[in-house]
mmCIF file of all heavy atoms in Angstrom:
data_model
loop_
_atom_site.group_PDB
_atom_site.id
_atom_site.type_symbol
_atom_site.label_atom_id
_atom_site.label_comp_id
_atom_site.label_asym_id
_atom_site.label_seq_id
_atom_site.Cartn_x
_atom_site.Cartn_y
_atom_site.Cartn_z
ATOM 1 N N ASN A 1 15.034 6.619 8.101
ATOM 2 C CA ASN A 1 15.364 7.121 9.442
ATOM 3 C C ASN A 1 14.509 6.230 10.459
ATOM 4 O O ASN A 1 13.253 6.302 10.426
ATOM 5 C CB ASN A 1 14.944 8.565 9.607
ATOM 6 C CG ASN A 1 15.434 9.162 10.895
ATOM 7 O OD1 ASN A 1 15.774 8.414 11.823
ATOM 8 N ND2 ASN A 1 15.403 10.513 10.935
ATOM 9 N N PHE A 2 15.189 5.545 11.281
ATOM 10 C CA PHE A 2 14.494 4.555 12.152
ATOM 11 C C PHE A 2 13.623 5.221 13.230
ATOM 12 O O PHE A 2 12.785 4.620 13.835
ATOM 13 C CB PHE A 2 15.438 3.542 12.824
ATOM 14 C CG PHE A 2 16.364 4.204 13.778
ATOM 15 C CD1 PHE A 2 16.078 4.326 15.139
ATOM 16 C CD2 PHE A 2 17.643 4.747 13.348
ATOM 17 C CE1 PHE A 2 16.861 4.896 15.992
ATOM 18 C CE2 PHE A 2 18.511 5.311 14.288
ATOM 19 C CZ PHE A 2 18.169 5.435 15.617
ATOM 20 N N ARG A 3 13.842 6.534 13.445
ATOM 21 C CA ARG A 3 12.985 7.296 14.396
ATOM 22 C C ARG A 3 11.531 7.240 13.956
ATOM 23 O O ARG A 3 10.626 7.429 14.772
ATOM 24 C CB ARG A 3 13.509 8.648 14.534
ATOM 25 C CG ARG A 3 14.176 8.945 15.878
ATOM 26 C CD ARG A 3 14.443 10.355 15.994
ATOM 27 N NE ARG A 3 15.141 10.871 14.866
ATOM 28 C CZ ARG A 3 15.618 12.168 14.660
ATOM 29 N NH1 ARG A 3 15.286 13.029 15.534
ATOM 30 N NH2 ARG A 3 16.203 12.534 13.608
ATOM 31 N N TYR A 4 11.259 7.243 12.709
ATOM 32 C CA TYR A 4 9.944 7.329 12.115
ATOM 33 C C TYR A 4 9.309 5.977 11.767
ATOM 34 O O TYR A 4 8.195 5.860 11.338
ATOM 35 C CB TYR A 4 9.993 8.207 10.920
ATOM 36 C CG TYR A 4 10.406 9.598 11.145
ATOM 37 C CD1 TYR A 4 11.584 10.016 10.651
ATOM 38 C CD2 TYR A 4 9.684 10.446 11.953
ATOM 39 C CE1 TYR A 4 12.068 11.325 10.956
ATOM 40 C CE2 TYR A 4 10.089 11.718 12.204
ATOM 41 C CZ TYR A 4 11.287 12.162 11.772
ATOM 42 O OH TYR A 4 11.762 13.367 12.022
ATOM 43 N N TRP A 5 10.015 4.877 12.114
ATOM 44 C CA TRP A 5 9.483 3.588 11.873
ATOM 45 C C TRP A 5 8.440 3.214 12.899
ATOM 46 O O TRP A 5 8.660 3.562 14.127
ATOM 47 C CB TRP A 5 10.464 2.504 11.851
ATOM 48 C CG TRP A 5 11.525 2.570 10.706
ATOM 49 C CD1 TRP A 5 11.454 3.477 9.684
ATOM 50 C CD2 TRP A 5 12.657 1.740 10.484
ATOM 51 N NE1 TRP A 5 12.453 3.254 8.837
ATOM 52 C CE2 TRP A 5 13.204 2.190 9.269
ATOM 53 C CE3 TRP A 5 13.199 0.704 11.179
ATOM 54 C CZ2 TRP A 5 14.348 1.595 8.718
ATOM 55 C CZ3 TRP A 5 14.347 0.127 10.591
ATOM 56 C CH2 TRP A 5 14.865 0.592 9.400
ATOM 57 N N ILE A 6 7.299 2.614 12.538
ATOM 58 C CA ILE A 6 6.360 2.197 13.557
ATOM 59 C C ILE A 6 6.034 0.734 13.325
ATOM 60 O O ILE A 6 6.293 0.167 12.241
ATOM 61 C CB ILE A 6 5.074 3.151 13.406
ATOM 62 C CG1 ILE A 6 4.431 2.932 12.053
ATOM 63 C CG2 ILE A 6 5.351 4.575 13.732
ATOM 64 C CD1 ILE A 6 3.079 3.595 11.987
ATOM 65 N N PRO A 7 5.528 0.111 14.369
ATOM 66 C CA PRO A 7 5.195 -1.396 14.220
ATOM 67 C C PRO A 7 4.100 -1.644 13.236
ATOM 68 O O PRO A 7 3.292 -0.673 12.923
ATOM 69 C CB PRO A 7 4.638 -1.850 15.643
ATOM 70 C CG PRO A 7 5.228 -0.681 16.486
ATOM 71 C CD PRO A 7 5.364 0.592 15.718
ATOM 72 N N LEU A 8 4.103 -2.746 12.661
ATOM 73 C CA LEU A 8 3.149 -3.090 11.492
ATOM 74 C C LEU A 8 1.737 -2.994 11.990
ATOM 75 O O LEU A 8 0.891 -2.486 11.133
ATOM 76 C CB LEU A 8 3.400 -4.568 11.070
ATOM 77 C CG LEU A 8 4.629 -4.759 10.153
ATOM 78 C CD1 LEU A 8 4.682 -6.307 9.789
ATOM 79 C CD2 LEU A 8 4.465 -3.973 8.887
ATOM 80 N N TRP A 9 1.383 -3.297 13.214
ATOM 81 C CA TRP A 9 0.026 -3.252 13.650
ATOM 82 C C TRP A 9 -0.453 -1.808 13.829
ATOM 83 O O TRP A 9 -1.680 -1.646 13.920
ATOM 84 C CB TRP A 9 -0.189 -4.025 14.972
ATOM 85 C CG TRP A 9 0.663 -3.679 16.047
ATOM 86 C CD1 TRP A 9 0.457 -2.621 16.867
ATOM 87 C CD2 TRP A 9 1.929 -4.150 16.346
ATOM 88 N NE1 TRP A 9 1.448 -2.508 17.764
ATOM 89 C CE2 TRP A 9 2.482 -3.484 17.482
ATOM 90 C CE3 TRP A 9 2.754 -5.119 15.871
ATOM 91 C CZ2 TRP A 9 3.680 -3.669 18.116
ATOM 92 C CZ3 TRP A 9 3.987 -5.352 16.433
ATOM 93 C CH2 TRP A 9 4.508 -4.702 17.534
ATOM 94 N N GLN A 10 0.407 -0.891 13.814
ATOM 95 C CA GLN A 10 -0.127 0.457 13.885
ATOM 96 C C GLN A 10 -0.328 1.149 12.550
ATOM 97 O O GLN A 10 -0.579 2.322 12.435
ATOM 98 C CB GLN A 10 0.873 1.348 14.687
ATOM 99 C CG GLN A 10 0.908 0.943 16.128
ATOM 100 C CD GLN A 10 1.832 1.769 16.992
ATOM 101 O OE1 GLN A 10 2.559 2.591 16.457
ATOM 102 N NE2 GLN A 10 1.888 1.576 18.269
ATOM 103 N N THR A 11 -0.155 0.378 11.424
ATOM 104 C CA THR A 11 -0.323 0.954 10.074
ATOM 105 C C THR A 11 -1.606 0.604 9.476
ATOM 106 O O THR A 11 -1.829 0.721 8.289
ATOM 107 C CB THR A 11 0.858 0.408 9.171
ATOM 108 O OG1 THR A 11 0.700 -1.064 9.128
ATOM 109 C CG2 THR A 11 2.203 0.776 9.676
ATOM 110 N N ARG A 12 -2.590 0.243 10.387
ATOM 111 C CA ARG A 12 -3.851 -0.166 9.854
ATOM 112 C C ARG A 12 -4.613 0.893 9.082
ATOM 113 O O ARG A 12 -5.283 0.591 8.047
ATOM 114 C CB ARG A 12 -4.827 -0.615 11.050
ATOM 115 C CG ARG A 12 -6.164 -1.081 10.652
ATOM 116 C CD ARG A 12 -6.971 -1.464 11.945
ATOM 117 N NE ARG A 12 -6.417 -2.682 12.506
ATOM 118 C CZ ARG A 12 -6.697 -3.954 12.209
ATOM 119 N NH1 ARG A 12 -7.648 -4.176 11.391
ATOM 120 N NH2 ARG A 12 -6.183 -4.910 12.973
ATOM 121 N N ASP A 13 -4.499 2.231 9.484
ATOM 122 C CA ASP A 13 -5.138 3.233 8.762
ATOM 123 C C ASP A 13 -4.515 3.618 7.423
ATOM 124 O O ASP A 13 -4.938 4.364 6.649
ATOM 125 C CB ASP A 13 -5.298 4.467 9.600
ATOM 126 C CG ASP A 13 -3.888 5.069 10.026
ATOM 127 O OD1 ASP A 13 -2.988 4.258 10.121
ATOM 128 O OD2 ASP A 13 -3.895 6.222 10.366
ATOM 129 N N TRP A 14 -3.328 3.042 7.113
ATOM 130 C CA TRP A 14 -2.652 3.248 5.805
ATOM 131 C C TRP A 14 -3.124 2.463 4.722
ATOM 132 O O TRP A 14 -2.974 2.676 3.513
ATOM 133 C CB TRP A 14 -1.163 2.929 5.984
ATOM 134 C CG TRP A 14 -0.496 3.874 6.767
ATOM 135 C CD1 TRP A 14 -0.862 4.934 7.566
ATOM 136 C CD2 TRP A 14 0.965 3.913 7.090
ATOM 137 N NE1 TRP A 14 0.145 5.578 8.168
ATOM 138 C CE2 TRP A 14 1.278 4.885 7.961
ATOM 139 C CE3 TRP A 14 2.008 2.992 6.704
ATOM 140 C CZ2 TRP A 14 2.564 5.100 8.395
ATOM 141 C CZ3 TRP A 14 3.312 3.225 7.134
ATOM 142 C CH2 TRP A 14 3.570 4.300 8.050
ATOM 143 N N PHE A 15 -3.938 1.370 5.015
ATOM 144 C CA PHE A 15 -4.391 0.454 4.050
ATOM 145 C C PHE A 15 -5.871 0.189 4.113
ATOM 146 O O PHE A 15 -6.452 0.420 5.207
ATOM 147 C CB PHE A 15 -3.650 -0.942 4.214
ATOM 148 C CG PHE A 15 -2.152 -0.912 4.011
ATOM 149 C CD1 PHE A 15 -1.383 -0.819 5.159
ATOM 150 C CD2 PHE A 15 -1.680 -0.934 2.787
ATOM 151 C CE1 PHE A 15 -0.030 -0.820 4.979
ATOM 152 C CE2 PHE A 15 -0.273 -0.935 2.609
ATOM 153 C CZ PHE A 15 0.569 -0.796 3.739
ATOM 154 N N THR A 16 -6.460 -0.339 3.056
ATOM 155 C CA THR A 16 -7.845 -0.827 3.125
ATOM 156 C C THR A 16 -7.809 -2.111 3.976
ATOM 157 O O THR A 16 -6.746 -2.639 4.267
ATOM 158 C CB THR A 16 -8.385 -1.110 1.701
ATOM 159 O OG1 THR A 16 -7.552 -2.149 1.147
ATOM 160 C CG2 THR A 16 -8.326 0.114 0.865
ATOM 161 N N PRO A 17 -8.919 -2.612 4.427
ATOM 162 C CA PRO A 17 -8.907 -3.764 5.218
ATOM 163 C C PRO A 17 -8.274 -4.950 4.522
ATOM 164 O O PRO A 17 -7.475 -5.707 5.094
ATOM 165 C CB PRO A 17 -10.417 -4.087 5.526
ATOM 166 C CG PRO A 17 -11.080 -2.789 5.525
ATOM 167 C CD PRO A 17 -10.313 -1.962 4.442
ATOM 168 N N ALA A 18 -8.531 -5.231 3.271
ATOM 169 C CA ALA A 18 -7.864 -6.265 2.512
ATOM 170 C C ALA A 18 -6.387 -5.986 2.387
ATOM 171 O O ALA A 18 -5.528 -6.912 2.485
ATOM 172 C CB ALA A 18 -8.523 -6.471 1.174
ATOM 173 N N GLY A 19 -6.059 -4.748 2.094
ATOM 174 C CA GLY A 19 -4.642 -4.431 1.919
ATOM 175 C C GLY A 19 -3.857 -4.607 3.226
ATOM 176 O O GLY A 19 -2.684 -5.068 3.204
ATOM 177 N N PHE A 20 -4.467 -4.321 4.392
ATOM 178 C CA PHE A 20 -3.830 -4.552 5.621
ATOM 179 C C PHE A 20 -3.559 -6.000 5.958
ATOM 180 O O PHE A 20 -2.426 -6.407 6.347
ATOM 181 C CB PHE A 20 -4.597 -3.870 6.796
ATOM 182 C CG PHE A 20 -3.937 -4.037 8.151
ATOM 183 C CD1 PHE A 20 -2.824 -3.305 8.506
ATOM 184 C CD2 PHE A 20 -4.403 -4.861 9.072
ATOM 185 C CE1 PHE A 20 -2.177 -3.290 9.660
ATOM 186 C CE2 PHE A 20 -3.881 -4.959 10.346
ATOM 187 C CZ PHE A 20 -2.710 -4.170 10.675
ATOM 188 N N ARG A 21 -4.455 -6.790 5.553
ATOM 189 C CA ARG A 21 -4.329 -8.330 5.779
ATOM 190 C C ARG A 21 -3.176 -8.753 4.825
ATOM 191 O O ARG A 21 -2.361 -9.535 5.239
ATOM 192 C CB ARG A 21 -5.627 -9.049 5.463
ATOM 193 C CG ARG A 21 -6.678 -8.955 6.558
ATOM 194 C CD ARG A 21 -7.797 -9.987 6.361
ATOM 195 N NE ARG A 21 -8.438 -9.772 5.103
ATOM 196 C CZ ARG A 21 -9.492 -8.998 4.903
ATOM 197 N NH1 ARG A 21 -9.975 -8.304 5.904
ATOM 198 N NH2 ARG A 21 -10.015 -8.831 3.774
ATOM 199 N N TYR A 22 -3.211 -8.351 3.602
ATOM 200 C CA TYR A 22 -2.097 -8.672 2.682
ATOM 201 C C TYR A 22 -0.740 -8.187 3.248
ATOM 202 O O TYR A 22 0.216 -8.965 3.136
ATOM 203 C CB TYR A 22 -2.244 -8.083 1.305
ATOM 204 C CG TYR A 22 -3.338 -8.692 0.405
ATOM 205 C CD1 TYR A 22 -4.145 -7.945 -0.328
ATOM 206 C CD2 TYR A 22 -3.487 -10.067 0.362
ATOM 207 C CE1 TYR A 22 -5.143 -8.580 -1.148
ATOM 208 C CE2 TYR A 22 -4.443 -10.600 -0.405
ATOM 209 C CZ TYR A 22 -5.262 -9.927 -1.178
ATOM 210 O OH TYR A 22 -6.222 -10.471 -1.998
ATOM 211 N N HIS A 23 -0.708 -7.019 3.787
ATOM 212 C CA HIS A 23 0.495 -6.478 4.336
ATOM 213 C C HIS A 23 0.975 -7.356 5.497
ATOM 214 O O HIS A 23 2.202 -7.721 5.551
ATOM 215 C CB HIS A 23 0.279 -5.076 4.748
ATOM 216 C CG HIS A 23 1.490 -4.285 4.995
ATOM 217 N ND1 HIS A 23 2.385 -3.888 4.087
ATOM 218 C CD2 HIS A 23 1.922 -3.820 6.196
ATOM 219 C CE1 HIS A 23 3.374 -3.228 4.631
ATOM 220 N NE2 HIS A 23 3.141 -3.116 5.916
ATOM 221 N N ILE A 24 0.209 -7.650 6.435
ATOM 222 C CA ILE A 24 0.539 -8.390 7.627
ATOM 223 C C ILE A 24 0.932 -9.835 7.206
ATOM 224 O O ILE A 24 1.947 -10.343 7.619
ATOM 225 C CB ILE A 24 -0.581 -8.462 8.629
ATOM 226 C CG1 ILE A 24 -0.833 -7.056 9.283
ATOM 227 C CG2 ILE A 24 -0.309 -9.449 9.759
ATOM 228 C CD1 ILE A 24 0.371 -6.534 10.114
ATOM 229 N N TRP A 25 0.138 -10.487 6.388
ATOM 230 C CA TRP A 25 0.398 -11.858 5.935
ATOM 231 C C TRP A 25 1.652 -11.879 5.161
ATOM 232 O O TRP A 25 2.496 -12.820 5.253
ATOM 233 C CB TRP A 25 -0.750 -12.437 5.172
ATOM 234 C CG TRP A 25 -1.754 -13.037 6.007
ATOM 235 C CD1 TRP A 25 -3.035 -12.490 6.362
ATOM 236 C CD2 TRP A 25 -1.733 -14.250 6.846
ATOM 237 N NE1 TRP A 25 -3.705 -13.292 7.228
ATOM 238 C CE2 TRP A 25 -2.944 -14.367 7.528
ATOM 239 C CE3 TRP A 25 -0.769 -15.256 7.009
ATOM 240 C CZ2 TRP A 25 -3.161 -15.421 8.359
ATOM 241 C CZ3 TRP A 25 -0.899 -16.311 7.791
ATOM 242 C CH2 TRP A 25 -2.204 -16.423 8.457
ATOM 243 N N GLY A 26 1.925 -10.912 4.272
ATOM 244 C CA GLY A 26 3.113 -10.879 3.439
ATOM 245 C C GLY A 26 4.409 -10.741 4.347
ATOM 246 O O GLY A 26 5.311 -11.551 4.117
ATOM 247 N N TRP A 27 4.344 -9.836 5.323
ATOM 248 C CA TRP A 27 5.624 -9.710 6.127
ATOM 249 C C TRP A 27 5.790 -10.958 7.011
ATOM 250 O O TRP A 27 6.892 -11.344 7.302
ATOM 251 C CB TRP A 27 5.578 -8.444 6.883
ATOM 252 C CG TRP A 27 5.947 -7.267 6.087
ATOM 253 C CD1 TRP A 27 5.144 -6.179 5.849
ATOM 254 C CD2 TRP A 27 7.173 -7.057 5.325
ATOM 255 N NE1 TRP A 27 5.871 -5.334 5.033
ATOM 256 C CE2 TRP A 27 7.082 -5.766 4.662
ATOM 257 C CE3 TRP A 27 8.401 -7.834 5.163
ATOM 258 C CZ2 TRP A 27 8.106 -5.288 3.985
ATOM 259 C CZ3 TRP A 27 9.354 -7.211 4.389
ATOM 260 C CH2 TRP A 27 9.229 -6.050 3.785
ATOM 261 N N SER A 28 4.695 -11.556 7.432
ATOM 262 C CA SER A 28 4.772 -12.729 8.282
ATOM 263 C C SER A 28 5.343 -13.920 7.458
ATOM 264 O O SER A 28 6.275 -14.581 7.958
ATOM 265 C CB SER A 28 3.421 -13.125 8.836
ATOM 266 O OG SER A 28 2.872 -12.059 9.591
ATOM 267 N N ILE A 29 4.864 -14.195 6.283
ATOM 268 C CA ILE A 29 5.351 -15.260 5.390
ATOM 269 C C ILE A 29 6.824 -15.002 5.029
ATOM 270 O O ILE A 29 7.602 -15.901 5.128
ATOM 271 C CB ILE A 29 4.389 -15.428 4.266
ATOM 272 C CG1 ILE A 29 3.065 -15.946 4.672
ATOM 273 C CG2 ILE A 29 5.094 -16.321 3.213
ATOM 274 C CD1 ILE A 29 2.010 -15.950 3.648
ATOM 275 N N PHE A 30 7.110 -13.731 4.680
ATOM 276 C CA PHE A 30 8.522 -13.421 4.370
ATOM 277 C C PHE A 30 9.413 -13.714 5.566
ATOM 278 O O PHE A 30 10.549 -14.206 5.369
ATOM 279 C CB PHE A 30 8.662 -11.970 3.900
ATOM 280 C CG PHE A 30 10.000 -11.546 3.507
ATOM 281 C CD1 PHE A 30 10.516 -11.977 2.299
ATOM 282 C CD2 PHE A 30 10.813 -10.817 4.399
ATOM 283 C CE1 PHE A 30 11.853 -11.566 1.962
ATOM 284 C CE2 PHE A 30 12.088 -10.447 4.053
ATOM 285 C CZ PHE A 30 12.576 -10.870 2.919
ATOM 286 N N SER A 31 9.011 -13.305 6.776
ATOM 287 C CA SER A 31 9.803 -13.530 7.975
ATOM 288 C C SER A 31 10.028 -15.008 8.238
ATOM 289 O O SER A 31 11.071 -15.414 8.632
ATOM 290 C CB SER A 31 9.140 -12.842 9.144
ATOM 291 O OG SER A 31 9.036 -11.474 8.940
ATOM 292 N N ILE A 32 8.939 -15.784 8.062
ATOM 293 C CA ILE A 32 9.177 -17.262 8.213
ATOM 294 C C ILE A 32 10.197 -17.788 7.213
ATOM 295 O O ILE A 32 10.984 -18.622 7.614
ATOM 296 C CB ILE A 32 7.811 -17.944 8.124
ATOM 297 C CG1 ILE A 32 6.848 -17.567 9.229
ATOM 298 C CG2 ILE A 32 7.968 -19.498 7.989
ATOM 299 C CD1 ILE A 32 5.516 -18.006 9.072
ATOM 300 N N GLY A 33 10.133 -17.281 6.036
ATOM 301 C CA GLY A 33 11.143 -17.691 4.989
ATOM 302 C C GLY A 33 12.537 -17.299 5.422
ATOM 303 O O GLY A 33 13.436 -18.098 5.209
ATOM 304 N N VAL A 34 12.728 -16.130 5.899
ATOM 305 C CA VAL A 34 13.971 -15.662 6.329
ATOM 306 C C VAL A 34 14.505 -16.459 7.512
ATOM 307 O O VAL A 34 15.767 -16.905 7.505
ATOM 308 C CB VAL A 34 14.017 -14.135 6.745
ATOM 309 C CG1 VAL A 34 15.265 -13.703 7.448
ATOM 310 C CG2 VAL A 34 13.839 -13.399 5.456
ATOM 311 N N MET A 35 13.677 -16.769 8.499
ATOM 312 C CA MET A 35 14.075 -17.602 9.561
ATOM 313 C C MET A 35 14.427 -18.969 9.143
ATOM 314 O O MET A 35 15.401 -19.572 9.726
ATOM 315 C CB MET A 35 12.918 -17.630 10.650
ATOM 316 C CG MET A 35 12.814 -16.349 11.418
ATOM 317 S SD MET A 35 11.638 -16.477 12.715
ATOM 318 C CE MET A 35 10.187 -16.545 11.899
ATOM 319 N N GLY A 36 13.710 -19.536 8.166
ATOM 320 C CA GLY A 36 14.014 -20.827 7.647
ATOM 321 C C GLY A 36 15.350 -20.811 6.912
ATOM 322 O O GLY A 36 16.212 -21.772 7.043
ATOM 323 N N MET A 37 15.714 -19.812 6.149
ATOM 324 C CA MET A 37 16.938 -19.702 5.515
ATOM 325 C C MET A 37 18.094 -19.612 6.504
ATOM 326 O O MET A 37 19.100 -20.144 6.377
ATOM 327 C CB MET A 37 16.942 -18.395 4.611
ATOM 328 C CG MET A 37 18.176 -18.364 3.711
ATOM 329 S SD MET A 37 18.343 -19.675 2.495
ATOM 330 C CE MET A 37 17.106 -19.249 1.348
ATOM 331 N N VAL A 38 17.886 -18.767 7.600
ATOM 332 C CA VAL A 38 18.992 -18.656 8.648
ATOM 333 C C VAL A 38 19.235 -20.004 9.292
ATOM 334 O O VAL A 38 20.299 -20.447 9.548
ATOM 335 C CB VAL A 38 18.513 -17.581 9.623
ATOM 336 C CG1 VAL A 38 19.436 -17.605 10.838
ATOM 337 C CG2 VAL A 38 18.646 -16.235 8.977
ATOM 338 N N LEU A 39 18.117 -20.708 9.718
ATOM 339 C CA LEU A 39 18.198 -22.000 10.332
ATOM 340 C C LEU A 39 18.805 -22.997 9.387
ATOM 341 O O LEU A 39 19.662 -23.821 9.792
ATOM 342 C CB LEU A 39 16.924 -22.495 10.839
ATOM 343 C CG LEU A 39 16.296 -21.719 12.005
ATOM 344 C CD1 LEU A 39 14.887 -22.206 12.312
ATOM 345 C CD2 LEU A 39 17.204 -21.879 13.194
ATOM 346 N N ARG A 40 18.561 -22.921 8.077
ATOM 347 C CA ARG A 40 19.063 -23.865 7.114
ATOM 348 C C ARG A 40 20.564 -23.751 7.103
ATOM 349 O O ARG A 40 21.286 -24.724 6.987
ATOM 350 C CB ARG A 40 18.380 -23.560 5.798
ATOM 351 C CG ARG A 40 19.070 -24.063 4.586
ATOM 352 C CD ARG A 40 18.886 -25.482 4.355
ATOM 353 N NE ARG A 40 19.469 -25.936 3.143
ATOM 354 C CZ ARG A 40 20.865 -26.238 3.005
ATOM 355 N NH1 ARG A 40 21.636 -26.130 3.956
ATOM 356 N NH2 ARG A 40 21.295 -26.611 1.800
#
């Protein structure tokens, strides 16, 4: 349900500090890959 979706930067309290970094970096790298595939 998209009403309950929140931005990634507001999920900091859901993860440990290392887990939050993995989460942000993971979605960022995945997004770059998706944009590269679309542009390709």
